Amino acid sequence: MRDHIFLTLWRQILSKYTNIPQERQDSRTEQPEYRDKRYSPVVLDDKVDKFIEWYNQNEVKEKQTAIGEYRSPIEMRNFIETLAVWYELRYPDIFIDSMIFAPDAEDYQSTVMFKKNPYMMALFGNSNPVGDLDWTEFYNFQVLLPFLGPEKIYLQDIPYPRTVDIKVEGCWFRLWLSEDGVIQMIENFGGLEHNRSIVLQQLEQFAVGKSAKEFVQFMADNHVPLADDNPLTNAILDQEKYQYLKKELFNCVMYRIIERGKERIGPRRAYLFANEFGCDKSIPITYGIDLSDPNLEQLLRIYLSDGGSLDLVCYLNYFRRTSKYQALESTTVRELLRFFPDLESYIKAKESKKSRIESGKSPEQAEIKPQKVISYFRQS
C-alpha cells in the first residue's frame, strides 16, 4: 500500500511539472505499438488520432502563408466533433430504434418534436403552426453547412482541372477533362507534323470517354511512359489524396458517433449517418455487435439487405471491454448467423439462387484495346 501511494504521488508530481495529463501518460505507455506506422489501431479514438496525424503531415505542415500555417490539426479535430454532435441532435437516442427498424412507420420524430411537443402545445394549443413540419427536413445538413468553418470544403467534391497538358515522345497534347476526370477532347499544340496528324485522331479514338487514370495506366502498360512529374498524373494523385481525406473524415465522424453513443445507440446512429452520407456501412456493424442485444438479428438482416458482406470481421462486445486496450474477440457475420437459424436459412437460399443465375451467364468477351497509337510512339 505504501509503495502504491508513493507511486501515485510521484506521478502527480511528474504530471504537474511536465504539463502532461495523467490520462495521456498512461495511454503512451499502454500503446507503444501505435507509434509504429505499420500498426492499424483497433480502438476508435486511436483511428481518429491516426487520421489527424496524417492530416497534419499532408495538409498542414509546410503549407504556410505570410502569417504562418493556415490550417491546424485541432481545427480538423473540432470539425469532426461538431459533425458528430450535430448528428446526435439530428437523431436523439429515442429516435434511433424507430429509424433503424421501422423507417416506414409513422413519423415518430416529427410527432415528438412538433405535433405532440408539450412546449409547442402549451404555447399554441390546437393551432400549433409547426405541427406538420418534417423533423428530418427541418433539421437537415443544409441548415448546418453555412455555419461550419473552412474545413467544410472537404465535404464536397473537388473537380479535376479543366485542361491538362502532357508531353508524349516529344509531342504536346492538351486534354480537356470533365469534373470527374473523364477525357472529353484532345488537341495537339506542339507542332505535330502534318504527316503524323493521324496520331492525334488515333489518340482521340482511344482516350475520349476514358478516365484520366485509365489513360495513364494504358500508356504505362504499353510501355509509352509519361514524364514522372507530368500534370495529368499529379492531378490524379491530388484527386486520390483528396478522396482519401474526405473518406477518412466521414469515417472519423462515424468513429466519434459510435464512441459518444456507446453500445447499441452509437453504432446504430452511425449506421444512419453512413446511409445518409454514402459511407462505409461495415464500420458501425464491426463495432456494434453486442451479443446481449435483443435486436441483433434485425440489425444483421438490415446490413445484409443493404449489400453487406458475410465475411465482415466484427469485434464482440467492444464497449464491454474492461480496459481501453484489452484484446477483443472477433467473429464474422457468417458465424453470427448460426445464432439465428431463420436468417441463416434465408441467406443460404438467396446465395444458392444467385449462384444458379450466375452459372447460366455466358462469359463476357475480352475488351479489345486499340494498339495503333502505341505502335507510333514506339517508333524510333
Side-chain angles (χ1 to χ4, degrees):
M1 177 64 71
R2 181 178 180 181
D3 291 342
H4 176 73
I5 296 174
F6 175 78
L7 181 59
T8 301
L9 290 173
W10 183 242
R11 284 179 174 173
Q12 291 176 351
I13 293 171
L14 285 176
S15 177
K16 178 179 179 181
Y17 286 99
T18 57
N19 292 321
I20 300 176
Q22 184 63 37
E23 183 178 348
R24 175 57 66 184
Q25 285 185 334
D26 291 343
S27 68
R28 286 181 178 180
T29 58
E30 287 178 359
Q31 55 158 344
E33 69 276 16
Y34 177 62
R35 299 303 165 189
D36 184 348
K37 295 185 181 298
R38 296 169 299 177
Y39 171 70
S40 179
V42 169
V43 177
L44 292 173
D45 286 342
D46 290 349
K47 286 179 176 288
V48 177
D49 290 344
K50 187 174 183 179
F51 170 70
I52 296 297
E53 183 179 338
W54 178 91
Y55 176 76
N56 184 47
Q57 293 293 330
N58 291 273
E59 291 294 309
V60 176
K61 284 191 173 181
E62 299 180 359
K63 295 190 176 182
Q64 298 185 348
T65 65
I67 58 173
E69 292 174 343
Y70 60 89
R71 289 189 177 100
S72 168
I74 191 63
E75 290 173 355
M76 174 56 78
R77 189 182 293 275
N78 291 341
F79 182 66
I80 291 169
E81 202 71 17
T82 297
L83 293 179
V85 172
W86 167 76
Y87 217 72
E88 289 178 358
L89 296 174
R90 178 168 167 78
Y91 293 127
D93 292 3
I94 59 171
F95 294 167
I96 299 301
D97 281 352
S98 65
M99 290 295 298
I100 288 284
F101 302 121
D104 297 327
E106 182 183 358
D107 191 352
Y108 178 58
Q109 309 90 276
S110 297
T111 299
V112 172
M113 289 297 187
F114 298 124
K115 191 173 295 185
K116 294 185 178 179
N117 186 314
Y119 175 79
M120 294 294 184
M121 294 177 69
L123 192 61
F124 299 108
N126 293 330
S127 60
N128 184 356
V130 299
D132 295 329
L133 288 178
D134 183 340
W135 172 252
T136 58
E137 291 296 325
F138 176 83
Y139 201 83
N140 63 64
F141 190 66
Q142 297 305 317
V143 175
L144 175 70
L145 192 59
F147 300 97
L148 295 175
E151 288 78 18
K152 66 183 177 183
I153 190 175
Y154 297 123
L155 301 177
Q156 62 190 37
D157 290 327
I158 301 297
Y160 272 82
R162 189 71 185 93
T163 62
V164 171
D165 298 337
I166 61 170
K167 186 177 183 180
V168 183
E169 297 293 335
C171 302
W172 280 97
F173 297 97
R174 174 162 293 157
L175 277 58
W176 292 76
L177 306 176
S178 67
E179 290 186 352
D180 56 354
V182 175
I183 299 173
Q184 297 178 318
M185 185 174 68
I186 303 177
E187 59 180 332
N188 168 254
F189 65 94
L192 189 66
E193 296 89 338
H194 178 70
N195 61 352
R196 293 184 177 180
S197 61
I198 188 67
V199 175
L200 178 58
Q201 298 176 13
Q202 294 168 350
L203 195 60
E204 284 181 329
Q205 182 182 1
F206 160 70
V208 172
K210 295 290 193 343
S211 71
K213 194 171 183 178
E214 288 175 323
F215 175 77
V216 170
Q217 187 61 52
F218 178 73
M219 299 297 273
D221 290 344
N222 289 275
H223 309 291
V224 182
L226 301 174
D228 291 339
D229 196 31
N230 72 86
L232 184 60
T233 300
N234 290 340
I236 293 171
L237 294 175
D238 288 343
Q239 186 69 209
E240 289 180 343
K241 184 177 79 167
Y242 179 80
Q243 291 302 326
Y244 171 82
L245 191 158
K246 181 179 177 181
K247 174 186 173 183
E248 288 304 310
L249 167 60
F250 278 126
N251 285 348
C252 285
V253 175
M254 283 197 289
Y255 301 152
R256 294 301 301 136
I257 290 173
I258 293 171
E259 285 280 26
R260 290 172 61 88
K262 305 296 182 184
E263 288 191 86
R264 301 166 194 171
I265 293 297
R268 289 173 188 174
R269 183 181 283 120
Y271 197 89
L272 292 174
F273 182 89
N275 191 55
E276 185 169 357
F277 288 89
C279 305
D280 186 356
K281 295 179 182 179
S282 68
I283 292 174
I285 302 300
T286 299
Y287 289 87
I289 302 301
D290 178 2
L291 295 180
S292 66
D293 182 359
N295 291 318
L296 181 56
E297 180 179 1
Q298 289 178 272
L299 184 64
L300 294 175
R301 187 181 293 272
I302 290 170
Y303 169 67
L304 292 172
S305 68
D306 284 344
S309 171
L310 287 166
D311 298 317
L312 175 69
V313 176
C314 307
Y315 300 113
L316 295 178
N317 302 321
Y318 174 77
F319 287 101
R320 294 179 183 272
R321 64 197 193 282
T322 56
S323 63
K324 185 174 182 180
Y325 296 104
Q326 174 187 334
L328 293 169
E329 184 181 353
S330 63
T331 187
T332 65
V333 172
R334 190 185 302 275
E335 291 169 343
L336 286 170
L337 294 187
R338 298 176 184 175
F339 297 102
F340 311 110
D342 291 343
L343 180 55
E344 185 179 30
S345 298
Y346 170 76
I347 295 300
K348 285 182 177 179
K350 193 173 180 180
E351 284 188 320
S352 178
K353 181 179 179 180
K354 181 180 178 182
S355 178
R356 289 196 304 270
I357 293 174
E358 290 181 348
S359 63
K361 291 182 180 179
S362 58
E364 295 180 357
Q365 294 182 346
E367 182 183 359
I368 300 175
K369 298 180 179 179
Q371 298 293 325
K372 290 182 179 179
V373 66
I374 298 303
S375 62
Y376 162 74
F377 284 128
R378 285 177 177 167
Q379 292 175 3
S380 57

